[in-house]
Amino acid sequence: MNDAYLNFVNSPFGARLAGSLGLPKPEVLRRYHADRPEFEGLVAVGAGPQPRILDALAGMIARTGMTGVAHESAGLWIALAHRHGLMTGRFEPVERGSTQGRMSALLFDATGIEDVTQFDSLYAFFHDALRSLGKCGRIVVFGRPPQGCANPRQWTAQRALEGFTRSLGKEARRGITSNLIYVAPGAEALAETTVRFLLSPRSAYVSGLAVHIDTVTRALPDFDWKRPLAGRRALVTGAARGIGASIAGVLAAEGAHVIGVDIPSAKDALDHTMRELNGTPLAFDIAAPETPAQLAAALDENGIDIIVHNAGITKDKTIAKMTETAWHSVIDINLAAQERIDDALLEAGTLRHGGRIIGVSSISGIAGNPGQSNYATSKAGVIGRVQGMASLLGERQITINAVAPGFIETQMTAKIPFAIREAGRRMNSMSQGGQPVDVAQTIAWLAHPGSAGVTGQVVRVCGQSLIGA
Ligand SMILES: NC(=O)c1ccc[n+]([C@@H]2O[C@H](COP(=O)([O-])OP(=O)(O)OC[C@H]3O[C@@H](n4cnc5c(N)ncnc54)[C@H](O)[C@@H]3O)[C@@H](O)[C@H]2O)c1
């Protein structure tokens, strides 16, 4: 859907008018395009005491082709960068008002911070560097998972990084995202897909995230960074239109064979979407009792590597006015059908070892929403499934995660009354709604064979919405 205000304030006349009236000016977000460089420009690197991820990070930055420049807090960086064959230099702040030499990203290694008296370099780095970050720039802070810390002081300091990182996202504006990666000791090399995702334009609408990277027991399979899902088969429900069609498109572009499911009445749209992607359409109602067995039978011969539970509906009414049918159908389609399908595919061994399950939740499931008790229950349940199943599935090296979109421009949100729709669109750090592709790219990161260390997590795709934050 079209955001007329965003288009207007980014026109020459609209920009002047918005400037003189002091109106907010949402940035046109830089998104991924296959024909434009994904990574480019300068990355400024800062660090606290005893940084533990700088070495792995130097290798990752070298592989993206970006140039890393060292802030004075990261004295080690220059030597590490040379070791990884990475172009480097010293960080120089950019003059106020100048667009020359602006940073594409600011990275800070806080993994070695052991108590709250050690925040000085965190302050100094961002105090010195934030103004030098360009439009749609990236902030990534690295910490250690608080739950794994040796003592309460370290836990306190590491947990404090969440408030810091989220505040920077709210302050920075200009399409800049700010995220935190908690890397477990020994999982440094497993952070690469996440670092790339958060540096890339693919994560345009993901900000305020605190993601955990865990160690895994099995070596990662080989993959090609350009087509990481080549040879993999992905089932996407609700694939005929909206976010589901975009998920199917992005997974196919990453090399997956997509099997798209949607209700029989959406068969024509589903066939069309799948034809464009060389995918396979399956016109099934996911809520029908026979569907799980039929899906297991249809997928049995070749198995499946990725399941994306995207199909969902809303039937909004306050609880006193809600019919029993509206209550049941939303919970059944949005939640119980996922349980039945996963049970059938796991029992039959159709979802292979090393597989991925991704559920589409919603920030309504995190915050609750008036008139959406059925929907919010179902979407909070999606989060519960992820948290409850992660360790069980870990035995088969299968990861399970949820994405929680905020306001995304689709036919579903086009139905929302104007005033509520405008509020939903603007109440986030990007002052705009997200696009279906923002959810799809986030799912592709979680589906990536290199994302084995990310499981049991909920990733908000909401431009750092104020709702539920
Ligand atoms: N649009 C948003 O802002 C937003 C925000 C948060 C979460 N979500 C979630 O994202 C998902 C996709 O949303 P969307 O905006 O693209 O919605 P949409 O209505 O445009 O698309 C949903 C698709 O699911 C299909 N579907 C519905 N019931 C089905 C069933 N029983 N069996 C098979 N397919 C079925 C529909 O036919 C449709 O193609 C949903 O789970 C939704 O709850 C959307």
mmCIF file with all atom_site columns, all heavy atoms in Angstrom, residues 238 241-243 262-263 284-286 310 312 360-362 375 379 405-406 408 410 412-413, ligand 1:
data_model
loop_
_atom_site.group_PDB
_atom_site.id
_atom_site.type_symbol
_atom_site.label_atom_id
_atom_site.label_alt_id
_atom_site.label_comp_id
_atom_site.label_asym_id
_atom_site.label_entity_id
_atom_site.label_seq_id
_atom_site.pdbx_PDB_ins_code
_atom_site.Cartn_x
_atom_site.Cartn_y
_atom_site.Cartn_z
_atom_site.occupancy
_atom_site.B_iso_or_equiv
_atom_site.pdbx_formal_charge
_atom_site.auth_seq_id
_atom_site.auth_comp_id
_atom_site.auth_asym_id
_atom_site.auth_atom_id
_atom_site.pdbx_PDB_model_num
ATOM   1   N N   . GLY A 1 238 ? -0.238  -19.470 3.439  1.00 0.00 ? 238 GLY A N   1
ATOM   2   C CA  . GLY A 1 238 ? -0.773  -18.130 3.141  1.00 0.00 ? 238 GLY A CA  1
ATOM   3   C C   . GLY A 1 238 ? 0.064   -17.442 2.085  1.00 0.00 ? 238 GLY A C   1
ATOM   4   O O   . GLY A 1 238 ? 0.290   -16.231 2.146  1.00 0.00 ? 238 GLY A O   1
ATOM   5   N N   . ARG A 1 241 ? -0.790  -14.167 -1.342 1.00 0.00 ? 241 ARG A N   1
ATOM   6   C CA  . ARG A 1 241 ? -0.729  -12.697 -1.429 1.00 0.00 ? 241 ARG A CA  1
ATOM   7   C C   . ARG A 1 241 ? 0.000   -12.146 -0.198 1.00 0.00 ? 241 ARG A C   1
ATOM   8   O O   . ARG A 1 241 ? 0.428   -12.899 0.680  1.00 0.00 ? 241 ARG A O   1
ATOM   9   C CB  . ARG A 1 241 ? -2.137  -12.120 -1.513 1.00 0.00 ? 241 ARG A CB  1
ATOM   10  C CG  . ARG A 1 241 ? -2.936  -12.319 -0.226 1.00 0.00 ? 241 ARG A CG  1
ATOM   11  C CD  . ARG A 1 241 ? -4.279  -11.639 -0.285 1.00 0.00 ? 241 ARG A CD  1
ATOM   12  N NE  . ARG A 1 241 ? -4.775  -11.353 1.060  1.00 0.00 ? 241 ARG A NE  1
ATOM   13  C CZ  . ARG A 1 241 ? -5.975  -10.891 1.328  1.00 0.00 ? 241 ARG A CZ  1
ATOM   14  N NH1 . ARG A 1 241 ? -6.816  -10.647 0.361  1.00 0.00 ? 241 ARG A NH1 1
ATOM   15  N NH2 . ARG A 1 241 ? -6.332  -10.644 2.578  1.00 0.00 ? 241 ARG A NH2 1
ATOM   16  N N   . GLY A 1 242 ? 0.112   -10.824 -0.158 1.00 0.00 ? 242 GLY A N   1
ATOM   17  C CA  . GLY A 1 242 ? 0.611   -10.123 1.032  1.00 0.00 ? 242 GLY A CA  1
ATOM   18  C C   . GLY A 1 242 ? 1.997   -10.587 1.462  1.00 0.00 ? 242 GLY A C   1
ATOM   19  O O   . GLY A 1 242 ? 2.892   -10.846 0.637  1.00 0.00 ? 242 GLY A O   1
ATOM   20  N N   . ILE A 1 243 ? 2.162   -10.699 2.759  1.00 0.00 ? 243 ILE A N   1
ATOM   21  C CA  . ILE A 1 243 ? 3.462   -11.038 3.336  1.00 0.00 ? 243 ILE A CA  1
ATOM   22  C C   . ILE A 1 243 ? 3.901   -12.434 2.866  1.00 0.00 ? 243 ILE A C   1
ATOM   23  O O   . ILE A 1 243 ? 5.072   -12.659 2.556  1.00 0.00 ? 243 ILE A O   1
ATOM   24  C CB  . ILE A 1 243 ? 3.388   -10.951 4.879  1.00 0.00 ? 243 ILE A CB  1
ATOM   25  C CG1 . ILE A 1 243 ? 3.140   -9.497  5.311  1.00 0.00 ? 243 ILE A CG1 1
ATOM   26  C CG2 . ILE A 1 243 ? 4.673   -11.486 5.517  1.00 0.00 ? 243 ILE A CG2 1
ATOM   27  C CD1 . ILE A 1 243 ? 2.872   -9.304  6.803  1.00 0.00 ? 243 ILE A CD1 1
ATOM   28  N N   . ASP A 1 262 ? -2.315  -22.247 0.219  1.00 0.00 ? 262 ASP A N   1
ATOM   29  C CA  . ASP A 1 262 ? -3.338  -21.242 0.540  1.00 0.00 ? 262 ASP A CA  1
ATOM   30  C C   . ASP A 1 262 ? -4.706  -21.882 0.360  1.00 0.00 ? 262 ASP A C   1
ATOM   31  O O   . ASP A 1 262 ? -4.816  -22.993 -0.173 1.00 0.00 ? 262 ASP A O   1
ATOM   32  C CB  . ASP A 1 262 ? -3.181  -19.977 -0.331 1.00 0.00 ? 262 ASP A CB  1
ATOM   33  C CG  . ASP A 1 262 ? -3.590  -18.714 0.444  1.00 0.00 ? 262 ASP A CG  1
ATOM   34  O OD1 . ASP A 1 262 ? -4.768  -18.634 0.855  1.00 0.00 ? 262 ASP A OD1 1
ATOM   35  O OD2 . ASP A 1 262 ? -2.740  -17.831 0.644  1.00 0.00 ? 262 ASP A OD2 1
ATOM   36  N N   . ILE A 1 263 ? -5.746  -21.192 0.832  1.00 0.00 ? 263 ILE A N   1
ATOM   37  C CA  . ILE A 1 263 ? -7.103  -21.763 0.774  1.00 0.00 ? 263 ILE A CA  1
ATOM   38  C C   . ILE A 1 263 ? -7.552  -21.967 -0.680 1.00 0.00 ? 263 ILE A C   1
ATOM   39  O O   . ILE A 1 263 ? -7.161  -21.194 -1.562 1.00 0.00 ? 263 ILE A O   1
ATOM   40  C CB  . ILE A 1 263 ? -8.138  -20.860 1.495  1.00 0.00 ? 263 ILE A CB  1
ATOM   41  C CG1 . ILE A 1 263 ? -7.862  -19.387 1.222  1.00 0.00 ? 263 ILE A CG1 1
ATOM   42  C CG2 . ILE A 1 263 ? -8.192  -21.139 2.965  1.00 0.00 ? 263 ILE A CG2 1
ATOM   43  C CD1 . ILE A 1 263 ? -8.902  -18.447 1.784  1.00 0.00 ? 263 ILE A CD1 1
ATOM   44  N N   . PHE A 1 284 ? -4.748  -25.892 -0.014 1.00 0.00 ? 284 PHE A N   1
ATOM   45  C CA  . PHE A 1 284 ? -5.267  -26.556 1.177  1.00 0.00 ? 284 PHE A CA  1
ATOM   46  C C   . PHE A 1 284 ? -5.721  -25.496 2.176  1.00 0.00 ? 284 PHE A C   1
ATOM   47  O O   . PHE A 1 284 ? -5.043  -24.475 2.341  1.00 0.00 ? 284 PHE A O   1
ATOM   48  C CB  . PHE A 1 284 ? -4.168  -27.358 1.901  1.00 0.00 ? 284 PHE A CB  1
ATOM   49  C CG  . PHE A 1 284 ? -3.741  -28.623 1.206  1.00 0.00 ? 284 PHE A CG  1
ATOM   50  C CD1 . PHE A 1 284 ? -2.410  -29.036 1.287  1.00 0.00 ? 284 PHE A CD1 1
ATOM   51  C CD2 . PHE A 1 284 ? -4.638  -29.421 0.514  1.00 0.00 ? 284 PHE A CD2 1
ATOM   52  C CE1 . PHE A 1 284 ? -1.989  -30.206 0.681  1.00 0.00 ? 284 PHE A CE1 1
ATOM   53  C CE2 . PHE A 1 284 ? -4.222  -30.592 -0.093 1.00 0.00 ? 284 PHE A CE2 1
ATOM   54  C CZ  . PHE A 1 284 ? -2.900  -30.990 -0.023 1.00 0.00 ? 284 PHE A CZ  1
ATOM   55  N N   . ASP A 1 285 ? -6.809  -25.796 2.883  1.00 0.00 ? 285 ASP A N   1
ATOM   56  C CA  . ASP A 1 285 ? -7.178  -24.983 4.046  1.00 0.00 ? 285 ASP A CA  1
ATOM   57  C C   . ASP A 1 285 ? -6.379  -25.542 5.227  1.00 0.00 ? 285 ASP A C   1
ATOM   58  O O   . ASP A 1 285 ? -6.582  -26.702 5.608  1.00 0.00 ? 285 ASP A O   1
ATOM   59  C CB  . ASP A 1 285 ? -8.695  -25.114 4.272  1.00 0.00 ? 285 ASP A CB  1
ATOM   60  C CG  . ASP A 1 285 ? -9.160  -24.365 5.511  1.00 0.00 ? 285 ASP A CG  1
ATOM   61  O OD1 . ASP A 1 285 ? -8.319  -23.945 6.329  1.00 0.00 ? 285 ASP A OD1 1
ATOM   62  O OD2 . ASP A 1 285 ? -10.387 -24.215 5.660  1.00 0.00 ? 285 ASP A OD2 1
ATOM   63  N N   . ILE A 1 286 ? -5.489  -24.755 5.809  1.00 0.00 ? 286 ILE A N   1
ATOM   64  C CA  . ILE A 1 286 ? -4.618  -25.313 6.871  1.00 0.00 ? 286 ILE A CA  1
ATOM   65  C C   . ILE A 1 286 ? -5.417  -25.745 8.098  1.00 0.00 ? 286 ILE A C   1
ATOM   66  O O   . ILE A 1 286 ? -4.934  -26.539 8.903  1.00 0.00 ? 286 ILE A O   1
ATOM   67  C CB  . ILE A 1 286 ? -3.494  -24.337 7.309  1.00 0.00 ? 286 ILE A CB  1
ATOM   68  C CG1 . ILE A 1 286 ? -4.069  -22.989 7.769  1.00 0.00 ? 286 ILE A CG1 1
ATOM   69  C CG2 . ILE A 1 286 ? -2.439  -24.179 6.224  1.00 0.00 ? 286 ILE A CG2 1
ATOM   70  C CD1 . ILE A 1 286 ? -3.087  -22.169 8.589  1.00 0.00 ? 286 ILE A CD1 1
ATOM   71  N N   . ASN A 1 310 ? 2.782   -18.687 7.966  1.00 0.00 ? 310 ASN A N   1
ATOM   72  C CA  . ASN A 1 310 ? 2.429   -17.273 7.775  1.00 0.00 ? 310 ASN A CA  1
ATOM   73  C C   . ASN A 1 310 ? 0.923   -17.038 7.715  1.00 0.00 ? 310 ASN A C   1
ATOM   74  O O   . ASN A 1 310 ? 0.463   -15.957 8.100  1.00 0.00 ? 310 ASN A O   1
ATOM   75  C CB  . ASN A 1 310 ? 3.108   -16.778 6.482  1.00 0.00 ? 310 ASN A CB  1
ATOM   76  C CG  . ASN A 1 310 ? 2.441   -15.523 5.958  1.00 0.00 ? 310 ASN A CG  1
ATOM   77  O OD1 . ASN A 1 310 ? 2.651   -14.431 6.488  1.00 0.00 ? 310 ASN A OD1 1
ATOM   78  N ND2 . ASN A 1 310 ? 1.590   -15.656 4.943  1.00 0.00 ? 310 ASN A ND2 1
ATOM   79  N N   . GLY A 1 312 ? -2.756  -16.317 8.261  1.00 0.00 ? 312 GLY A N   1
ATOM   80  C CA  . GLY A 1 312 ? -3.399  -15.806 9.475  1.00 0.00 ? 312 GLY A CA  1
ATOM   81  C C   . GLY A 1 312 ? -4.601  -14.963 9.111  1.00 0.00 ? 312 GLY A C   1
ATOM   82  O O   . GLY A 1 312 ? -4.689  -14.445 7.998  1.00 0.00 ? 312 GLY A O   1
ATOM   83  N N   . VAL A 1 360 ? 4.804   -16.754 12.163 1.00 0.00 ? 360 VAL A N   1
ATOM   84  C CA  . VAL A 1 360 ? 4.548   -15.311 12.077 1.00 0.00 ? 360 VAL A CA  1
ATOM   85  C C   . VAL A 1 360 ? 3.618   -14.927 13.226 1.00 0.00 ? 360 VAL A C   1
ATOM   86  O O   . VAL A 1 360 ? 2.470   -15.346 13.283 1.00 0.00 ? 360 VAL A O   1
ATOM   87  C CB  . VAL A 1 360 ? 3.963   -14.913 10.710 1.00 0.00 ? 360 VAL A CB  1
ATOM   88  C CG1 . VAL A 1 360 ? 3.661   -13.411 10.690 1.00 0.00 ? 360 VAL A CG1 1
ATOM   89  C CG2 . VAL A 1 360 ? 4.937   -15.267 9.591  1.00 0.00 ? 360 VAL A CG2 1
ATOM   90  N N   . SER A 1 361 ? 4.160   -14.176 14.168 1.00 0.00 ? 361 SER A N   1
ATOM   91  C CA  . SER A 1 361 ? 3.400   -13.683 15.306 1.00 0.00 ? 361 SER A CA  1
ATOM   92  C C   . SER A 1 361 ? 2.972   -12.252 14.985 1.00 0.00 ? 361 SER A C   1
ATOM   93  O O   . SER A 1 361 ? 2.709   -11.914 13.823 1.00 0.00 ? 361 SER A O   1
ATOM   94  C CB  . SER A 1 361 ? 4.286   -13.763 16.558 1.00 0.00 ? 361 SER A CB  1
ATOM   95  O OG  . SER A 1 361 ? 3.643   -13.213 17.669 1.00 0.00 ? 361 SER A OG  1
ATOM   96  N N   . SER A 1 362 ? 2.932   -11.388 15.954 1.00 0.00 ? 362 SER A N   1
ATOM   97  C CA  . SER A 1 362 ? 2.548   -9.984  15.739 1.00 0.00 ? 362 SER A CA  1
ATOM   98  C C   . SER A 1 362 ? 2.878   -9.209  17.013 1.00 0.00 ? 362 SER A C   1
ATOM   99  O O   . SER A 1 362 ? 2.858   -9.791  18.113 1.00 0.00 ? 362 SER A O   1
ATOM   100 C CB  . SER A 1 362 ? 1.043   -9.907  15.485 1.00 0.00 ? 362 SER A CB  1
ATOM   101 O OG  . SER A 1 362 ? 0.585   -8.587  15.658 1.00 0.00 ? 362 SER A OG  1
ATOM   102 N N   . TYR A 1 375 ? -7.073  -12.678 18.381 1.00 0.00 ? 375 TYR A N   1
ATOM   103 C CA  . TYR A 1 375 ? -5.854  -12.569 17.555 1.00 0.00 ? 375 TYR A CA  1
ATOM   104 C C   . TYR A 1 375 ? -4.598  -12.512 18.440 1.00 0.00 ? 375 TYR A C   1
ATOM   105 O O   . TYR A 1 375 ? -3.615  -13.226 18.205 1.00 0.00 ? 375 TYR A O   1
ATOM   106 C CB  . TYR A 1 375 ? -5.969  -11.306 16.701 1.00 0.00 ? 375 TYR A CB  1
ATOM   107 C CG  . TYR A 1 375 ? -4.846  -11.069 15.720 1.00 0.00 ? 375 TYR A CG  1
ATOM   108 C CD1 . TYR A 1 375 ? -4.754  -11.806 14.548 1.00 0.00 ? 375 TYR A CD1 1
ATOM   109 C CD2 . TYR A 1 375 ? -3.886  -10.081 15.958 1.00 0.00 ? 375 TYR A CD2 1
ATOM   110 C CE1 . TYR A 1 375 ? -3.731  -11.565 13.625 1.00 0.00 ? 375 TYR A CE1 1
ATOM   111 C CE2 . TYR A 1 375 ? -2.862  -9.828  15.048 1.00 0.00 ? 375 TYR A CE2 1
ATOM   112 C CZ  . TYR A 1 375 ? -2.796  -10.572 13.883 1.00 0.00 ? 375 TYR A CZ  1
ATOM   113 O OH  . TYR A 1 375 ? -1.779  -10.335 12.984 1.00 0.00 ? 375 TYR A OH  1
ATOM   114 N N   . LYS A 1 379 ? -1.443  -15.037 18.581 1.00 0.00 ? 379 LYS A N   1
ATOM   115 C CA  . LYS A 1 379 ? -0.090  -14.601 18.230 1.00 0.00 ? 379 LYS A CA  1
ATOM   116 C C   . LYS A 1 379 ? 0.872   -14.721 19.428 1.00 0.00 ? 379 LYS A C   1
ATOM   117 O O   . LYS A 1 379 ? 2.072   -14.953 19.251 1.00 0.00 ? 379 LYS A O   1
ATOM   118 C CB  . LYS A 1 379 ? -0.119  -13.163 17.702 1.00 0.00 ? 379 LYS A CB  1
ATOM   119 C CG  . LYS A 1 379 ? -0.872  -13.029 16.377 1.00 0.00 ? 379 LYS A CG  1
ATOM   120 C CD  . LYS A 1 379 ? -0.240  -13.864 15.272 1.00 0.00 ? 379 LYS A CD  1
ATOM   121 C CE  . LYS A 1 379 ? -0.885  -13.669 13.920 1.00 0.00 ? 379 LYS A CE  1
ATOM   122 N NZ  . LYS A 1 379 ? -0.270  -14.472 12.851 1.00 0.00 ? 379 LYS A NZ  1
ATOM   123 N N   . PRO A 1 405 ? 5.702   -8.987  13.280 1.00 0.00 ? 405 PRO A N   1
ATOM   124 C CA  . PRO A 1 405 ? 5.605   -7.740  12.527 1.00 0.00 ? 405 PRO A CA  1
ATOM   125 C C   . PRO A 1 405 ? 4.811   -6.686  13.296 1.00 0.00 ? 405 PRO A C   1
ATOM   126 O O   . PRO A 1 405 ? 3.913   -7.011  14.077 1.00 0.00 ? 405 PRO A O   1
ATOM   127 C CB  . PRO A 1 405 ? 4.854   -8.135  11.250 1.00 0.00 ? 405 PRO A CB  1
ATOM   128 C CG  . PRO A 1 405 ? 4.929   -9.623  11.172 1.00 0.00 ? 405 PRO A CG  1
ATOM   129 C CD  . PRO A 1 405 ? 5.021   -10.102 12.591 1.00 0.00 ? 405 PRO A CD  1
ATOM   130 N N   . GLY A 1 406 ? 5.153   -5.435  13.047 1.00 0.00 ? 406 GLY A N   1
ATOM   131 C CA  . GLY A 1 406 ? 4.361   -4.321  13.543 1.00 0.00 ? 406 GLY A CA  1
ATOM   132 C C   . GLY A 1 406 ? 3.381   -3.935  12.456 1.00 0.00 ? 406 GLY A C   1
ATOM   133 O O   . GLY A 1 406 ? 2.686   -4.806  11.915 1.00 0.00 ? 406 GLY A O   1
ATOM   134 N N   . ILE A 1 408 ? 2.546   -3.382  8.897  1.00 0.00 ? 408 ILE A N   1
ATOM   135 C CA  . ILE A 1 408 ? 3.100   -3.685  7.567  1.00 0.00 ? 408 ILE A CA  1
ATOM   136 C C   . ILE A 1 408 ? 2.039   -3.317  6.526  1.00 0.00 ? 408 ILE A C   1
ATOM   137 O O   . ILE A 1 408 ? 0.854   -3.617  6.708  1.00 0.00 ? 408 ILE A O   1
ATOM   138 C CB  . ILE A 1 408 ? 3.465   -5.196  7.448  1.00 0.00 ? 408 ILE A CB  1
ATOM   139 C CG1 . ILE A 1 408 ? 4.409   -5.633  8.589  1.00 0.00 ? 408 ILE A CG1 1
ATOM   140 C CG2 . ILE A 1 408 ? 4.084   -5.503  6.076  1.00 0.00 ? 408 ILE A CG2 1
ATOM   141 C CD1 . ILE A 1 408 ? 5.787   -5.015  8.611  1.00 0.00 ? 408 ILE A CD1 1
ATOM   142 N N   . THR A 1 410 ? -0.173  -3.889  3.934  1.00 0.00 ? 410 THR A N   1
ATOM   143 C CA  . THR A 1 410 ? -0.774  -4.998  3.170  1.00 0.00 ? 410 THR A CA  1
ATOM   144 C C   . THR A 1 410 ? -2.278  -4.777  3.073  1.00 0.00 ? 410 THR A C   1
ATOM   145 O O   . THR A 1 410 ? -2.814  -3.840  3.667  1.00 0.00 ? 410 THR A O   1
ATOM   146 C CB  . THR A 1 410 ? -0.565  -6.365  3.863  1.00 0.00 ? 410 THR A CB  1
ATOM   147 O OG1 . THR A 1 410 ? -1.285  -6.364  5.095  1.00 0.00 ? 410 THR A OG1 1
ATOM   148 C CG2 . THR A 1 410 ? 0.884   -6.693  4.107  1.00 0.00 ? 410 THR A CG2 1
ATOM   149 N N   . MET A 1 412 ? -4.361  -6.494  4.596  1.00 0.00 ? 412 MET A N   1
ATOM   150 C CA  . MET A 1 412 ? -4.908  -6.641  5.952  1.00 0.00 ? 412 MET A CA  1
ATOM   151 C C   . MET A 1 412 ? -4.943  -5.278  6.654  1.00 0.00 ? 412 MET A C   1
ATOM   152 O O   . MET A 1 412 ? -5.945  -4.889  7.242  1.00 0.00 ? 412 MET A O   1
ATOM   153 C CB  . MET A 1 412 ? -4.038  -7.635  6.739  1.00 0.00 ? 412 MET A CB  1
ATOM   154 C CG  . MET A 1 412 ? -4.638  -8.108  8.047  1.00 0.00 ? 412 MET A CG  1
ATOM   155 S SD  . MET A 1 412 ? -3.474  -9.144  8.992  1.00 0.00 ? 412 MET A SD  1
ATOM   156 C CE  . MET A 1 412 ? -4.198  -10.741 8.843  1.00 0.00 ? 412 MET A CE  1
ATOM   157 N N   . THR A 1 413 ? -3.840  -4.512  6.564  1.00 0.00 ? 413 THR A N   1
ATOM   158 C CA  . THR A 1 413 ? -3.793  -3.222  7.270  1.00 0.00 ? 413 THR A CA  1
ATOM   159 C C   . THR A 1 413 ? -4.544  -2.126  6.499  1.00 0.00 ? 413 THR A C   1
ATOM   160 O O   . THR A 1 413 ? -4.952  -1.131  7.081  1.00 0.00 ? 413 THR A O   1
ATOM   161 C CB  . THR A 1 413 ? -2.341  -2.783  7.540  1.00 0.00 ? 413 THR A CB  1
ATOM   162 O OG1 . THR A 1 413 ? -1.570  -2.968  6.354  1.00 0.00 ? 413 THR A OG1 1
ATOM   163 C CG2 . THR A 1 413 ? -1.726  -3.553  8.667  1.00 0.00 ? 413 THR A CG2 1
HETATM 164 N N1  . LIG B 2 .   ? -0.038  -6.856  7.815  1.00 0.00 ? 1   LIG B N1  1
HETATM 165 C C1  . LIG B 2 .   ? 0.394   -6.613  9.039  1.00 0.00 ? 1   LIG B C1  1
HETATM 166 O O1  . LIG B 2 .   ? 0.609   -5.452  9.420  1.00 0.00 ? 1   LIG B O1  1
HETATM 167 C C2  . LIG B 2 .   ? 0.686   -7.739  9.987  1.00 0.00 ? 1   LIG B C2  1
HETATM 168 C C3  . LIG B 2 .   ? 1.161   -7.407  11.262 1.00 0.00 ? 1   LIG B C3  1
HETATM 169 C C4  . LIG B 2 .   ? 1.449   -8.425  12.154 1.00 0.00 ? 1   LIG B C4  1
HETATM 170 C C5  . LIG B 2 .   ? 1.272   -9.748  11.765 1.00 0.00 ? 1   LIG B C5  1
HETATM 171 N N2  . LIG B 2 .   ? 0.792   -10.047 10.524 1.00 0.00 ? 1   LIG B N2  1
HETATM 172 C C6  . LIG B 2 .   ? 0.621   -11.460 10.196 1.00 0.00 ? 1   LIG B C6  1
HETATM 173 O O2  . LIG B 2 .   ? 1.290   -11.747 8.978  1.00 0.00 ? 1   LIG B O2  1
HETATM 174 C C7  . LIG B 2 .   ? 0.624   -12.818 8.312  1.00 0.00 ? 1   LIG B C7  1
HETATM 175 C C8  . LIG B 2 .   ? 0.295   -12.412 6.890  1.00 0.00 ? 1   LIG B C8  1
HETATM 176 O O3  . LIG B 2 .   ? -0.492  -11.227 6.943  1.00 0.00 ? 1   LIG B O3  1
HETATM 177 P P1  . LIG B 2 .   ? -0.930  -10.399 5.639  1.00 0.00 ? 1   LIG B P1  1
HETATM 178 O O4  . LIG B 2 .   ? -1.046  -8.998  6.061  1.00 0.00 ? 1   LIG B O4  1
HETATM 179 O O5  . LIG B 2 .   ? -0.088  -10.757 4.473  1.00 0.00 ? 1   LIG B O5  1
HETATM 180 O O6  . LIG B 2 .   ? -2.428  -10.976 5.468  1.00 0.00 ? 1   LIG B O6  1
HETATM 181 P P2  . LIG B 2 .   ? -3.280  -11.289 4.156  1.00 0.00 ? 1   LIG B P2  1
HETATM 182 O O7  . LIG B 2 .   ? -4.692  -11.379 4.623  1.00 0.00 ? 1   LIG B O7  1
HETATM 183 O O8  . LIG B 2 .   ? -2.945  -10.326 3.075  1.00 0.00 ? 1   LIG B O8  1
HETATM 184 O O9  . LIG B 2 .   ? -2.754  -12.746 3.724  1.00 0.00 ? 1   LIG B O9  1
HETATM 185 C C9  . LIG B 2 .   ? -3.008  -13.901 4.495  1.00 0.00 ? 1   LIG B C9  1
HETATM 186 C C10 . LIG B 2 .   ? -3.005  -15.110 3.584  1.00 0.00 ? 1   LIG B C10 1
HETATM 187 O O10 . LIG B 2 .   ? -3.318  -16.262 4.401  1.00 0.00 ? 1   LIG B O10 1
HETATM 188 C C11 . LIG B 2 .   ? -4.269  -17.042 3.706  1.00 0.00 ? 1   LIG B C11 1
HETATM 189 N N3  . LIG B 2 .   ? -5.070  -17.856 4.615  1.00 0.00 ? 1   LIG B N3  1
HETATM 190 C C12 . LIG B 2 .   ? -5.979  -17.415 5.522  1.00 0.00 ? 1   LIG B C12 1
HETATM 191 N N4  . LIG B 2 .   ? -6.581  -18.462 6.115  1.00 0.00 ? 1   LIG B N4  1
HETATM 192 C C13 . LIG B 2 .   ? -6.030  -19.583 5.595  1.00 0.00 ? 1   LIG B C13 1
HETATM 193 C C14 . LIG B 2 .   ? -6.254  -20.966 5.793  1.00 0.00 ? 1   LIG B C14 1
HETATM 194 N N5  . LIG B 2 .   ? -7.179  -21.415 6.640  1.00 0.00 ? 1   LIG B N5  1
HETATM 195 N N6  . LIG B 2 .   ? -5.516  -21.861 5.073  1.00 0.00 ? 1   LIG B N6  1
HETATM 196 C C15 . LIG B 2 .   ? -4.606  -21.423 4.173  1.00 0.00 ? 1   LIG B C15 1
HETATM 197 N N7  . LIG B 2 .   ? -4.355  -20.118 3.937  1.00 0.00 ? 1   LIG B N7  1
HETATM 198 C C16 . LIG B 2 .   ? -5.075  -19.203 4.630  1.00 0.00 ? 1   LIG B C16 1
HETATM 199 C C17 . LIG B 2 .   ? -5.129  -16.005 2.981  1.00 0.00 ? 1   LIG B C17 1
HETATM 200 O O11 . LIG B 2 .   ? -5.900  -16.583 1.906  1.00 0.00 ? 1   LIG B O11 1
HETATM 201 C C18 . LIG B 2 .   ? -4.090  -15.014 2.493  1.00 0.00 ? 1   LIG B C18 1
HETATM 202 O O12 . LIG B 2 .   ? -3.564  -15.372 1.236  1.00 0.00 ? 1   LIG B O12 1
HETATM 203 C C19 . LIG B 2 .   ? -0.604  -13.147 9.160  1.00 0.00 ? 1   LIG B C19 1
HETATM 204 O O13 . LIG B 2 .   ? -0.321  -14.237 10.010 1.00 0.00 ? 1   LIG B O13 1
HETATM 205 C C20 . LIG B 2 .   ? -0.811  -11.884 9.964  1.00 0.00 ? 1   LIG B C20 1
HETATM 206 O O14 . LIG B 2 .   ? -1.497  -12.146 11.168 1.00 0.00 ? 1   LIG B O14 1
HETATM 207 C C21 . LIG B 2 .   ? 0.493   -9.081  9.633  1.00 0.00 ? 1   LIG B C21 1
#
